[in-house]
């Protein structure tokens, strides 16, 4: 296992996961990226390399990133048999992506059909130090034979985009141990030059061969002896006419200058070391979250153009064909914040791309009959709209796509990205040279797009699509209208800033954009009178006009589905329902919390406003199969509402979207928005970072249960700050160090506890989660009899003392304990667990209300009268059966049992799951347990814990009682309050 959470490891190749793993193992360097296909190839693979900015025209979708020549191809013939995972037998297999160094490696122990066994170790990288340089290495070791091995390192002269041809071969050539290609795109005429050479540690000749047009490669043949390792290196250089005038010559010259792999590796590693020094997020106590955040940041960093300000990051990065390499609002809203605070030069490149494409935005506005600059919903190389107007639906019929026509909020999203970069960096030169013009000319567009409604005495924006794309052709979308208000105010402020600090630039733009006093007054009038559907009495914001009149669908009816609600109901039916594809009003509240403008919709102190809208819109959102843009935002806002467990669930949904393919579409490419969204969830959600005029600060951390440390760096106005949050005994300590000056700001336990923890009486308990066996009833005798019968049948000594050692363990863990750690085949384990359970179920059939333990029924009645929610949190898989036999099922609001979670006590999962079902935060729940493992699980979940049993059984329960006899809710509540324990998540390692 990778204990340092730096490696994504695959230990078995599954052809059914071929395309998902191609996405998963994508490597790149900010100039290009290559999907994780195999060097030797595989039937049905999507061998793909995309280079930033290399687009070509195509019908329907206007233009698309072009699949470039496959540089990986390496055919290996072992004693006359071609190596392939589809042939022979794979004896051992491991593929590993080293996130720290950006190296993809693969180890295969393969036996050919003829019986020859060979060990192959592949390694590839796209150099971060030299973005035009690529390399793949292969070490070959015969295990049980000596024989001839042949290697052919070729280049694919005719790559295609899933059947669509884009390249024309212009020239090709071979010389000694190298070969090269010169191609150009059929429509855009962008040229590409690629060259390769092969070296080998064996004493053998390496020759290049051109058999026919487009079929060239570099070959070698040698005799390998048993146990001898021969290493081959295929080096590749690639350039396009976007960088140089003669890309083929430049590629060949660059290839000739290559020195050695060790030199390349050192330079490549040095860049990665520097990047991770600035960008790494350290999470201790949660291996999955640690690996996931690093994986997301890795994929973002290899897609980010570090040396080119005329390209941007597409919705699927450079890793897949979905969305054709087009750029959306994903970049400015989800990705730019991460880069602005860690790699500001790269963030500037992405925003300069929008500046260079202003003319395209102006053309779009003019063609639609408006003034100023109107950014396209989907953008490519020119800034013109490239959203397809029609696509073919699942039924084979054409479907009209309206986003390119009326999803207008992207124009303000770009301005917002510019503003956020400026706030983070204080980059005055760039702002006056490029950023100001973006904000001002897009404001000109909005000034011409709004409509005055005389009857309502206000401005409106009609016929749009907001972030929630389930609803088209809506009027007065709250997100769009409120962001336009902000845009008008910000544009006026930016012009004022220019007039004071750069008067000549202000005059230039006033003339160029016709920024007359009348126009500026119009902007002010719009900001003051643009309609936002906000009810000040209830605090509820209506997503768009008429939204509350739509059919209110209960999404819980569709639990267990594996596709989106729109796919189930259809576009029109979904449009008529209150079903959200992604947060819309909640997205607005998230962006507004970052703004300095104190208005009713920008006051982050008004938690009631957020809670009201969260309670309404979150349950109407398709979290699982709607948009991947939503979960990270929900995670942040859940933290704002002190719903840490719920925040963690949303966070993991975003963080694992590609690693675990949670939406079933990772084969289409990396979810770019999630890569940046997960970072924002950690920094602005769990860490509680807020942006102030003097810089970022930690306001209220919400570290998930189990997170013992969170460490990251932020860059603010040229100064680098390290944030270190540690959780110890439920108290979070925050240290902030200015790395440039060495100055340390430490916020100690006492002060932070005062900030984070209200008094007990201010945070009343709202739920009680009972363990079942030993707490509400005593079925331990039946369990003992079941285990005893199984043990006797298996010939294992078992008595009541042995049974006591299994208290609180799951059925599986109990069985493993029973066998003393002896390895048991999975099938046998399952069979024995089923046998034991059948014995237990037979024994408990006579259970009734009379078997409730003393004090249980009165306590349940008191809880019910007090409005306290009740749940079962048990490792048992018979919880539903037992509560039914006891006659208390009607009093139970939720049951979380052995079927509900994968990890059992002492992991906190079963209690967190129960709290989630109750709709409560962990701090609002009390766990009642009779087992040490259960008490530990409750503490790890960040809940109050009442232990039933001897004191020595419980290390840290807040209250310990012998049992529930004569134990009233009032007594328990008083005992908990008397402990004065701070109810914060307690990390259990």
């Amino acid at each position: 296992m990778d204990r340092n959470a730096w490696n994504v490891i695959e230990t078995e190749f599954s052809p059914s996961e071929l395309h998902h793993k191609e996405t998963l193992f994508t490597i790149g360097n900010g100039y290009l990226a290559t999907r994780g296909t195999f060097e030797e190839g595989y039937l049905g693979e999507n061998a793909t390399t995309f280079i930033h900015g290399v687009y070509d025209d195509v019908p329907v979708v206007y233009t698309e990133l072009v699949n470039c020549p496959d540089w990986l191809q390496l055919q290996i013939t072992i004693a006359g048999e071609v190596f392939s995972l589809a042939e022979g037998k794979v004896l051992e297999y491991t593929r590993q992506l080293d996130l720290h160094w950006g190296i993809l490696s693969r180890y295969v122990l393969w036996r050919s059909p003829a019986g020859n066994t060979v060990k192959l170790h592949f390694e590839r990288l796209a150099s971060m130090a030299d973005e035009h340089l690529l390399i793949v290495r292969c070490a070959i070791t015969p295990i049980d034979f000596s024989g001839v091995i042949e290697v052919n390192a070729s280049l694919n002269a005719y790559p295609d985009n899933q059947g669509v041809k884009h390249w024309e071969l212009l020239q090709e050539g071979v010389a000694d141990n190298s070969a090269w290609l010169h191609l150009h795109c059929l429509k855009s005429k962008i040229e590409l030059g690629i060259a390769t050479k092969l070296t080998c540690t064996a004493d053998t000749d390496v020759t290049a061969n051109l058999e026919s047009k487009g079929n060239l490669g570099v070959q070698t043949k040698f005799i390998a002896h048993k146990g001898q390792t021969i290493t081959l290196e295929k080096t590749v250089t690639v350039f396009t006419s976007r960088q140089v005038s003669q890309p083929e010559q430049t590629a060949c010259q660059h290839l000739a200058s290559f020195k050695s792999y060790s030199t390349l590796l050192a330079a490549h590693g040095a860049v990665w070391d520097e990047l991770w020094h600035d960008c790494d997020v350290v999470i201790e106590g949660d291996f999955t979250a640690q690996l996931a955040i690093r994986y997301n940041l890795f994929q973002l960093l290899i897609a980010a153009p570090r040396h080119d300000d005329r390209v941007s990051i597409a919705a699927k990065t450079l890793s897949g064909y979905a969305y054709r390499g087009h750029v959306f609002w994903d970049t400015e809203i989800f990705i730019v914040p991460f880069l602005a605070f860690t790699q500001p030069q790269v963030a500037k490149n992405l925003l300069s791309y929008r500046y260079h494409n202003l003319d395209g935005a102006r053309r779009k506005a003019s063609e639609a009959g408006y003034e100023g600059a109107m950014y396209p919903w989907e953008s490519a190389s020119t800034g013109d709209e490239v959203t397809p107007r029609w696509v073919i639906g699942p039924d084979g019929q054409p479907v009209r796509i309206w986003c390119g026509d009326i999803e207008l909020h992207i124009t303000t999203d770009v301005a917002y990205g510019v503003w956020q970069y400026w706030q983070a960096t204080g980059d005055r030169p760039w702002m006056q040279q490029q950023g100001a013009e973006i904000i001002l000319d897009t404001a000109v567009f909005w000034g011409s797009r709004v409509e005055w409604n005389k009857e309502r005495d206000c401005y409106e924006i009609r016929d749009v699509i907001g972030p929630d794309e389930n609803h088209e052709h809506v009027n007065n979308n709250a997100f769009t209208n409120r962001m336009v208000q902000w845009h008008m105010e910000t544009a006026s402020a930016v012009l004022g800033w220019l007039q004071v600090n750069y008067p000549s630039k202000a005059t230039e733009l006033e003339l160029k954009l016709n920024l007359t006093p009348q126009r500026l007054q119009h902007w002010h009038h719009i900001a003051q009178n643009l309609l936002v559907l906000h009810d000040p009495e209830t605090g509820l914001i209506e997503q768009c006009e008429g939204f509350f009149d739509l059919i209110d669908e209960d999404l819980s009816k569709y639990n267990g589905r594996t596709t989106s609600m729109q796919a189930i109901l259809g576009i029109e039916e979904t449009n008529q329902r209150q079903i959200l594809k992604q947060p819309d009003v909640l997205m607005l509240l998230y962006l507004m919390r970052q703004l300095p403008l104190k208005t009713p919709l920008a006051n982050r102190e008004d938690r009631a406003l957020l809670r009201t809208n969260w309670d309404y819109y979150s349950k109407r959102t398709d979290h699982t199969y709607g948009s991947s843009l939503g979960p990270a935002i929900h995670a942040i806002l859940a933290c704002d509402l002190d719903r840490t467990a719920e925040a963690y669930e949303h966070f993991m949904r975003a963080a694992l979207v590609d690693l675990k393919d949670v939406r079933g579409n990772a084969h289409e490419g990396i979810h770019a928005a999630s890569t940046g969204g997960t970072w924002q969830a950690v920094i602005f959600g769990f860490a509680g970072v807020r942006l102030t005029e003097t810089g970022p600060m930690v306001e209220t951390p919400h570290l998930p249960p189990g997170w013992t440390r969170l460490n990251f760096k932020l860059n603010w106005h040229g100064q680098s700050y390290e944030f270190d949050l540690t959780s110890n005994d439920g108290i979070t300590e925050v240290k902030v160090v200015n790395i440039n000056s060495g100055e340390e700001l430490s916020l100690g336990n006492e002060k932070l506890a005062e900030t984070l923890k209200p008094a007990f009486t201010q945070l009343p308990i709202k739920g009680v989660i009972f363990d079942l066996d030993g707490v509400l009833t005593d079925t331990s005798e039946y369990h003992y009899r079941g285990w005893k019968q199984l043990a006797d049948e298996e010939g294992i000594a078992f008595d009541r003392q042995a049974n006591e050692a299994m208290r609180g363990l799951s059925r599986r863990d109990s069985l493993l304990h029973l066998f003393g750690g002896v390895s048991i085949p999975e099938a046998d384990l399952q069979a024995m667990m089923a046998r034991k359970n059948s014995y237990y179920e037979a024994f408990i059939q006579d259970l009734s209300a009379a078997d409730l333990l003393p004090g249980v029924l009165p306590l349940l009645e008191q809880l019910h009268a007090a409005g306290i929610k009740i749940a079962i949190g048990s490792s048992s898989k018979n919880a539903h059966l037992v509560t039914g036999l006891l006659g208390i099922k009607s009093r139970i609001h939720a049951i979380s049992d052995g079927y509900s979670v994968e990890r059992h006590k002492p992991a906190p999962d079963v209690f967190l799951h129960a709290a989630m079902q109750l709709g409560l935060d962990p701090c609002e729940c009390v766990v009642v347990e009779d087992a040490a493992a259960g008490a530990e699980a409750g503490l790890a979940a960040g809940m109050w814990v009442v232990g039933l049993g001897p004191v020595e059984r419980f290390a840290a329960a807040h209250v310990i009682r012998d049992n529930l006899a004569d134990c009233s809710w009032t007594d328990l509540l008083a005992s908990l309050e008397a402990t004065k324990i701070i109810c914060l998540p307690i990390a259990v390692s």
Side-chain angles (χ1 to χ4, degrees):
M1 175 183 286
D2 169 27
R3 298 190 181 275
N4 296 317
W6 279 108
N7 295 284
V8 178
I9 301 171
E10 177 188 46
T11 57
E12 182 179 355
F13 169 61
S14 172
S16 65
E17 298 179 345
L18 179 68
H19 297 314
H20 168 221
K21 295 301 175 63
E22 289 173 356
T23 295
L24 184 69
F25 291 113
T26 295
I27 64 166
N29 59 11
Y31 172 69
L32 56 72
T34 298
R35 284 172 63 85
T37 48
F38 298 128
E39 288 82 358
E40 71 278 7
Y42 198 88
L43 182 65
E45 67 179 4
N46 281 334
T48 304
T49 293
F50 287 128
I51 298 177
H52 268 310
V54 179
Y55 289 96
D56 197 37
D57 297 345
V58 66
V60 182
V61 296
Y62 298 102
T63 188
E64 63 182 1
L65 276 177
V66 178
N67 184 16
C68 297
D70 181 10
W71 59 275
L72 290 173
Q73 294 182 348
L74 203 66
Q75 186 184 71
I76 302 171
T77 305
I78 310 293
E81 295 178 291
V82 176
F83 164 64
S84 169
L85 293 180
E87 304 292 338
K89 186 173 183 179
V90 177
L91 304 177
E92 295 178 20
Y93 173 96
T94 303
R95 182 159 47 162
Q96 175 175 300
L97 176 58
D98 183 336
L99 303 173
H100 193 280
W101 278 59
I103 297 174
L104 180 61
S105 58
R106 181 168 52 119
Y107 163 78
V108 182
L109 184 64
W110 182 74
R111 182 167 293 153
S112 73
N116 295 317
T117 309
V118 62
K119 180 170 66 177
L120 301 129
H121 183 264
F122 297 90
E123 194 171 270
R124 76 177 73 157
L125 64 85
S127 173
M128 293 293 280
D130 182 345
E131 63 185 15
H132 301 283
L133 187 58
L134 315 163
I135 195 164
V136 57
R137 303 180 89 218
C138 182
I140 305 173
T141 308
I143 300 300
D144 52 13
F145 74 99
S146 297
V148 175
I149 294 179
E150 300 175 69
V151 179
N152 179 34
S154 58
L155 296 173
N156 177 12
Y158 299 106
D160 61 71
N161 281 45
Q162 299 176 311
V164 178
K165 302 291 186 180
H166 283 292
W167 293 106
E168 180 182 6
L169 180 63
L170 301 176
Q171 295 174 293
E172 58 187 340
V174 297
D176 300 325
N177 67 338
S178 64
W180 56 271
L181 294 172
H182 181 203
L183 312 94
H184 76 179
C185 293
L186 295 173
K187 302 293 176 59
S188 68
K189 303 302 180 184
I190 294 175
E191 298 180 27
L192 179 143
I194 185 169
T196 186
K197 69 177 179 181
L198 182 69
T199 58
C200 180
T201 58
D203 184 16
T204 182
D205 291 332
V206 179
T207 58
N209 180 41
L210 177 59
E211 294 184 358
S212 60
K213 186 174 182 180
N215 184 11
L216 78 170
V218 187
Q219 299 86 28
T220 187
K221 180 190 293 187
F222 52 87
I223 296 176
H225 299 284
K226 179 180 177 181
Q228 176 190 14
T229 299
I230 302 297
T231 301
L232 301 108
E233 293 179 0
K234 180 183 182 182
T235 310
V236 178
T237 54
V238 59
F239 288 82
T240 76
S241 55
R242 293 189 67 254
Q243 296 86 41
V244 297
S245 59
Q246 295 180 307
E248 77 288 359
Q249 291 186 19
T250 306
C252 291
Q253 292 166 0
H254 202 58
L255 185 68
S257 68
F258 174 71
K259 296 178 181 178
S260 69
Y261 181 73
S262 59
T263 302
L264 164 65
L265 188 60
H268 169 79
V271 175
W272 271 117
D273 283 342
E274 184 177 352
L275 284 171
W276 285 119
H277 176 269
D278 296 335
C279 301
D280 190 23
V281 172
V282 176
I283 299 172
E284 294 182 2
D286 188 337
F287 175 86
T288 302
Q290 176 66 93
L291 182 64
I293 189 65
R294 283 180 174 151
Y295 179 78
N296 279 276
L297 296 184
F298 172 83
Q299 288 295 342
L300 195 161
L301 289 169
I302 66 171
R306 293 180 299 127
H307 308 296
D308 191 341
D309 69 355
R310 292 181 178 271
V311 296
S312 187
I313 299 176
K316 293 295 181 184
T317 66
L318 294 171
S319 61
Y321 291 92
Y323 301 118
R324 309 293 173 172
H326 297 170
V327 179
F328 293 71
W329 73 312
D330 307 34
T331 308
E332 284 74 27
I333 299 300
F334 292 87
I335 294 174
V336 163
F338 162 70
L339 295 170
F341 288 106
T342 61
Q343 299 289 297
Q345 177 58 49
V346 182
K348 181 164 67 175
N349 285 345
L350 298 178
L351 296 168
S352 291
Y353 160 83
R354 294 294 192 181
Y355 173 77
H356 295 309
N357 284 341
L358 264 173
D359 283 344
R362 288 168 179 145
R363 284 192 293 271
K364 179 177 179 180
S366 177
E367 290 166 3
Y370 302 112
E371 300 177 271
M374 175 187 181
Y375 276 107
W377 180 243
E378 297 185 29
S379 178
S381 56
T382 65
D384 293 286
E385 183 62 73
V386 291
T387 304
R389 289 186 169 234
W390 298 88
V391 298
I392 301 301
D395 58 358
Q397 298 300 310
V399 177
R400 180 68 160 90
I401 303 299
W402 290 101
C403 300
D405 300 271
I406 58 175
E407 192 153 3
L408 308 180
H409 64 83
I410 188 168
T411 297
T412 285
D413 302 331
V414 172
Y416 186 93
V418 169
W419 174 87
Q420 192 165 44
Y421 167 77
W422 186 28
Q423 301 307 300
T425 65
D427 189 345
R428 294 163 65 94
W430 182 83
M431 190 64 185
Q432 68 96 5
Q433 292 166 11
Q434 298 187 8
E437 188 169 351
I438 293 174
I439 290 177
L440 292 169
D441 210 14
T442 48
V444 171
F445 160 71
W446 284 119
S448 67
R449 178 60 174 81
V450 299
E451 304 172 50
W452 178 254
N453 187 320
K454 291 182 180 180
E455 287 74 21
R456 302 175 85 170
D457 196 32
C458 65
Y459 289 98
E460 298 182 311
I461 303 177
R462 303 174 63 81
D463 193 24
V464 299
I465 300 173
D468 169 31
E469 294 173 340
N470 278 352
H471 298 90
E472 302 174 335
H473 300 289
V474 302
N475 299 329
N476 296 312
N477 170 252
F479 179 95
T480 304
N481 288 22
R482 179 62 190 95
M483 291 297 288
V484 169
Q485 278 187 326
W486 166 84
H487 198 154
M488 297 289 96
E489 295 164 335
T490 302
S492 298
V494 166
L495 183 58
W497 174 78
L498 282 176
Q499 290 167 340
V500 172
N501 296 278
Y502 302 95
S504 61
K505 185 66 176 181
T507 300
E508 174 192 331
L509 291 179
E510 285 168 350
L511 293 173
K512 180 178 181 179
L513 307 180
N514 193 27
L515 303 180
T516 64
Q518 293 78 13
R519 188 185 295 278
L520 300 181
Q521 180 59 38
H522 182 52
W523 290 358
H524 177 73
H525 199 243
I526 292 170
Q528 294 296 313
N529 296 283
L530 185 55
L531 177 63
V532 177
L533 299 168
H534 171 225
D535 185 343
E537 294 294 325
T538 65
L540 196 58
I541 303 166
E542 190 170 16
Q543 177 172 302
C544 59
E545 206 148 16
F547 184 83
F548 293 154
D549 297 327
L550 299 177
I551 299 168
D552 196 4
E553 191 77 46
D554 180 5
L555 295 186
S556 66
K557 296 190 307 184
Y558 299 89
N559 288 345
R561 61 193 166 86
T562 58
T563 189
S564 71
M565 290 301 301
Q566 190 179 79
I568 292 172
L569 299 174
I571 294 175
E572 290 304 320
E573 287 297 315
T574 307
N575 199 36
Q576 297 303 313
R577 285 167 167 76
Q578 295 185 46
I579 300 175
L580 279 65
K581 179 179 179 181
Q582 65 191 65
D584 196 303
V585 168
L586 295 180
M587 187 75 202
L588 169 66
L589 296 179
Y590 170 60
L591 296 186
M592 286 291 120
R593 81 203 271 274
Q594 306 280 34
L595 299 177
L597 304 173
K598 301 299 182 183
T599 72
L601 300 189
N603 185 358
R604 65 169 178 261
E605 308 298 333
D606 188 2
R607 182 162 311 184
L609 175 72
L610 174 57
R611 187 178 296 277
T612 294
N613 286 280
W614 173 279
D615 289 345
Y616 191 87
Y617 286 107
S618 180
K619 62 186 178 184
R620 291 170 170 83
T621 303
D622 186 355
H623 295 292
T624 51
Y625 293 101
S627 171
S628 63
L629 278 61
I633 303 307
H634 279 93
I636 299 168
L637 296 179
C639 286
D640 285 354
L641 295 172
D642 299 322
R643 299 172 181 257
T644 308
E646 194 170 350
Y648 184 78
E649 181 183 357
H650 286 298
F651 167 71
M652 294 305 289
R653 188 177 285 132
L656 298 176
V657 67
D658 294 312
L659 269 175
K660 295 294 186 181
D661 193 17
V662 298
R663 291 173 180 270
N665 62 353
H667 63 279
E668 297 178 344
I670 293 293
H671 293 76
S674 271
T675 65
T678 53
W679 181 88
Q680 292 188 53
V682 172
I683 306 307
F684 301 131
F686 297 130
V689 169
R690 294 292 184 270
L691 306 179
T692 71
E693 293 181 359
T694 57
M697 61 165 284
V698 171
E699 189 172 83
T700 306
H702 291 85
L703 297 191
W707 286 26
T708 57
R709 181 175 181 235
L710 175 59
N711 178 276
F712 54 90
K713 297 181 181 72
L714 298 179
N715 190 291
W716 177 267
H717 287 231
Q719 300 289 302
S720 184
Y721 296 88
E722 182 175 9
F723 291 74
D724 199 58
L725 289 75
T726 54
S727 178
N728 184 25
D729 291 332
I731 305 297
T732 301
E733 181 178 281
V734 179
K735 291 184 179 179
V736 183
V737 176
N738 183 322
I739 297 174
N740 301 80
S741 67
E743 179 184 0
E744 179 178 320
L745 170 64
S746 178
L747 192 59
N749 289 3
E750 183 177 349
K751 183 176 180 182
L752 195 65
E754 184 69 21
T755 302
L756 294 183
K757 186 62 210 148
F760 177 82
T761 54
Q762 293 176 298
L763 186 65
I765 298 300
K766 298 179 181 178
V768 178
I769 306 174
F770 292 94
D771 184 27
L772 186 58
D773 291 342
V775 174
L776 300 184
T777 188
D778 188 2
T779 62
S780 58
E781 179 63 19
Y782 304 126
H783 280 296
Y784 168 72
R785 290 164 59 185
W787 286 120
K788 177 65 174 171
Q789 182 170 340
L790 179 70
D792 289 345
E793 291 170 353
E794 296 297 326
I796 299 173
F798 187 77
D799 55 21
R800 295 187 183 276
Q801 184 177 354
N803 185 63
E804 179 65 19
M806 291 158 53
R807 180 185 290 270
L809 297 181
S810 68
R811 191 183 307 164
R812 183 187 187 87
D813 290 341
S814 294
L815 186 60
L816 294 174
H817 179 83
L818 187 68
F819 276 82
V822 175
S823 179
I824 304 172
E826 182 62 27
D828 293 344
L829 271 175
Q830 294 293 335
M832 284 188 283
M833 286 192 290
R835 281 163 53 201
K836 185 269 173 184
N837 195 51
S838 67
Y839 304 150
Y840 172 77
E841 288 181 355
F843 292 143
I844 66 171
Q845 289 304 312
D846 293 331
L847 271 179
S848 68
D851 292 290
L852 286 169
L853 290 173
V856 169
L857 194 56
L859 180 57
L860 293 179
E861 291 174 350
Q862 292 165 25
L863 293 172
H864 179 73
I868 302 298
K869 294 182 179 179
I870 302 170
I872 301 296
S874 171
S875 298
S876 170
K877 292 187 175 181
N878 295 291
H880 286 272
L881 171 64
V882 171
T883 54
L885 292 169
L886 293 172
I888 60 172
K889 198 165 188 179
S890 62
R891 291 178 169 87
I892 307 300
H893 298 91
I895 294 178
S896 183
D897 60 14
Y899 292 107
S900 304
V901 296
E902 293 183 359
R903 298 192 308 166
H904 299 286
K905 305 169 188 178
D909 302 27
V910 71
F911 292 134
L912 293 173
H913 183 265
M916 181 183 69
Q917 289 189 87
L918 294 177
L920 301 178
D921 288 340
C923 280
E924 296 173 323
C925 298
V926 174
V927 164
V928 183
E929 262 286 356
D930 74 317
E936 186 178 344
L939 293 170
M943 299 177 180
W944 301 80
V945 174
V946 174
L948 301 182
V951 173
E952 58 268 22
R953 184 183 294 168
F954 303 102
H958 300 117
V959 172
I960 301 175
R961 294 289 183 90
D962 290 336
N963 50 54
L964 293 178
D966 300 320
C967 181
S968 71
W969 174 234
T970 303
D971 291 339
L972 277 182
L973 203 58
S975 298
L976 288 167
E977 185 172 11
T979 64
K980 303 300 184 185
I981 298 295
I982 292 178
C983 180
L984 285 174
I986 297 175
V988 178
S989 60

